[in-house]
Amino acid sequence: MKIVMLGAPGAGKGTQAKMIAAKYGIPHISTGDIFRANIKNGTELGEKAKQYMDQGLLVPDELTLALIMDRFAKDDCANGYVLDGFPRTIAQAEALTESLKAQNDALDMAIDVDVPDEDIIERMGGRRACVACGGTFHVLFNPPRVSGKCDLCGGELSIRKDDLPETVKKRLMVYHEQTQPLIDYYKAEGILRTVDGTKDVNEVFAEITALFE
Ligand code: AMP
């Protein structure tokens, strides 16, 4: 099963991608997480990516494609994957289609988690991430048991630089310009499905699992 999650930053596609991965036993691949792990480990790739991420811009396709193709080569991708945050441009989507085609393969579904911009701005303002393990929480919708502390490892929670209000607005603009066209791209491929991302996490997940039946 090869799935792409679409949706604005903060639409909840990461949460849904993790739930899909757990239920169907496929890896959850988030390019954002891979970039952040590289930044944390001080790699050259991380250093390059950070310059773009901190401004709410996309990392150039060339860097992103090299990273994701390397990830697809790992054994755990043999039975498929759920992609979260990739592709984000038409060029990335085309590169993915081509690389799958070369192996006589194709994506099964692109799921758009649809949420209006106003809701996105409210959600992202409340997002907190653990500086130690990357675990994510929300002050209103998914609060940690102890305020400011990660439930998973006890680490400090902070606002990611790319979740700051000005950066959120920039990321939404970038989303509408560069990523939203993927909705039409996958519609034309006949694999687009849309779910209402304003609903409760479990209701959204129920809508998604119904798509697989
Ligand atoms: P995310 O955690 O998916 O919201 O990604 C955080 C940031 O990482 C984005 O705002 C981009 O700067 C960068 N990024 C993640 N995935 C991609 C991608 N497929 N193409 C370009 N930049 C990306």
Side-chain angles (χ1 to χ4, degrees):
M1 190 154 70
K2 294 189 172 70
I3 299 162
V4 163
M5 301 302 291
L6 296 174
K13 60 185 186 306
T15 304
Q16 296 299 328
K18 279 182 201 147
M19 291 165 88
I20 294 171
K23 184 172 167 90
Y24 298 99
I26 50 176
H28 160 227
I29 303 180
S30 152
T31 37
D33 283 353
I34 303 176
F35 285 133
R36 280 185 288 276
N38 274 273
I39 292 171
K40 200 169 156 211
N41 296 330
T43 68
E44 200 183 321
L45 170 78
E47 217 149 274
K48 283 188 190 153
K50 190 175 186 314
Q51 298 166 19
Y52 299 93
M53 291 169 74
D54 283 351
Q55 295 181 65
L57 299 172
L58 294 186
V59 177
D61 286 339
E62 196 187 86
L63 272 186
T64 307
L65 282 167
L67 171 110
I68 198 87
M69 292 305 163
D70 193 52
R71 180 66 188 84
F72 289 154
K74 301 230 160 91
D75 290 346
D76 65 340
C77 290
N79 294 324
Y81 39 69
V82 50
L83 301 180
D84 162 19
F86 178 90
R88 252 185 165 95
T89 63
I90 292 285
Q92 291 180 10
E94 285 172 344
L96 176 61
T97 303
E98 287 308 312
S99 90
L100 287 170
K101 216 184 246 172
Q103 301 160 48
N104 262 329
D105 205 351
L107 289 171
D108 296 289
M109 206 183 279
I111 303 172
D112 178 32
V113 182
D114 187 34
V115 177
D117 282 8
E118 309 82 77
D119 298 43
I120 297 284
I121 290 166
E122 187 191 352
R123 284 183 186 191
M124 286 174 87
R127 229 148 71 151
R128 300 292 180 270
C130 174
V131 291
C133 76
T136 49
F137 301 87
H138 192 284
V139 291
L140 295 179
F141 308 127
N142 176 27
R145 283 192 297 270
V146 179
S147 171
K149 295 270 179 234
C150 176
D151 285 359
L152 309 172
C153 76
E156 290 293 320
L157 299 183
S158 75
I159 304 183
R160 271 169 27 185
K161 227 175 186 170
D162 55 357
D163 284 342
L164 290 170
E166 279 321 295
T167 324
V168 169
K169 283 188 193 137
K170 177 82 191 167
R171 291 175 74 195
L172 274 173
M173 216 172 80
V174 168
Y175 166 75
H176 289 299
E177 274 172 18
Q178 303 194 55
T179 309
Q180 208 174 10
L182 296 182
I183 293 178
D184 284 337
Y185 178 88
Y186 287 119
K187 201 184 275 174
E189 299 252 312
I191 58 165
L192 180 78
R193 302 289 181 274
T194 304
V195 294
D196 178 357
T198 64
K199 291 186 182 163
D200 164 84
V201 171
N202 292 314
E203 285 178 80
V204 179
F205 189 56
E207 259 193 58
I208 290 176
T209 50
L211 296 174
F212 300 139
E213 277 146 26

